[in-house]
Amino acid sequence: MSMNGEYLRVTPAELDRALKDPEWALDLAEEIQDAQEESEPAPAEARHFTTHQTWHLLGFLLQRSAFPVDIVQGEGPLTTDDWGYGPPKYLTPDRVRQAADTLYQTTYDQLIQSVDPSELTKAEIYPQSWDSPASLEWARDLFTPLTEFFRGAASTGHAMLIWID
């Protein structure tokens, strides 16, 4: 089984309800994930997005670049209940907007500049397969869609639920 970074766009009203009723939020996340598997919307319109197993690499690269928002783990605790590999967290609409703006101004080349794969091995970045400089390319194909997903959420004033599943 693998660990995947998961994101769910929610309206401010849905975030308020999720904070009061995390079980409802988990049901909503599962319902949207199931529905989206059939329709496969573009990242900017999607309600759910996954970075698959690249979440830890992206987190390392973003943290290393002093990214102002924790878009991999989230910031505010939603619940102490486990949604896979720990409890989910959330980002407010303002933090989503800040993340979207910063992502838009950031390139993947900037993130991997001067990174030695041995740094990833030393930091025990999941899934620990960092044997060459080419391995840094692994998350490139998800970085642009992740940026589009955040921009779509920011443009509609959405908040974000984030968890590792």
Side-chain angles (χ1 to χ4, degrees):
M1 208 180 230
S2 61
M3 299 170 72
N4 298 295
E6 306 290 346
Y7 298 83
L8 184 71
R9 287 172 52 171
V10 294
T11 66
E14 288 170 332
L15 177 59
D16 288 342
R17 183 169 178 190
L19 288 166
K20 293 173 187 151
D21 187 357
E23 286 184 31
W24 171 84
L26 179 58
D27 290 343
L28 177 67
E30 291 170 350
E31 177 183 313
I32 289 172
Q33 284 175 295
D34 289 346
Q36 201 169 287
E37 283 179 9
E38 296 174 21
S39 64
E40 297 184 31
E45 286 83 38
R47 293 269 324 259
H48 171 259
F49 186 80
T50 182
T51 54
H52 302 287
Q53 294 180 36
T54 67
W55 64 273
H56 207 196
L57 171 60
L58 288 169
F60 175 86
L61 296 172
L62 292 166
Q63 184 177 33
R64 188 176 177 274
S65 73
F67 200 81
V69 180
D70 187 348
I71 66 167
V72 173
Q73 298 288 335
E75 295 180 342
L78 182 70
T79 180
T80 57
D81 296 339
D82 189 330
W83 278 24
Y85 291 93
K89 292 187 179 179
Y90 67 91
L91 298 175
T92 64
D94 286 342
R95 298 298 279 165
V96 169
R97 188 174 311 103
Q98 183 180 12
D101 291 345
T102 308
L103 281 167
Y104 185 68
Q105 298 170 24
T106 305
T107 67
Y108 193 74
D109 286 333
Q110 289 170 320
L111 290 179
I112 63 171
Q113 184 177 3
S114 306
V115 176
D116 186 308
S118 67
E119 292 177 65
L120 303 172
T121 301
K122 184 177 180 180
E124 299 180 352
I125 300 301
Y126 177 82
Q128 300 183 10
S129 57
W130 314 111
D131 52 2
S132 74
S135 62
L136 291 170
E137 294 296 318
W138 188 43
R140 183 180 294 275
D141 290 344
L142 285 169
F143 186 73
T144 298
L146 178 65
T147 300
E148 293 168 3
F149 180 74
F150 266 84
R151 288 187 52 126
S155 72
T156 57
H158 282 170
M160 193 87 60
L161 304 184
I162 302 171
W163 70 101
I164 307 299
D165 185 22

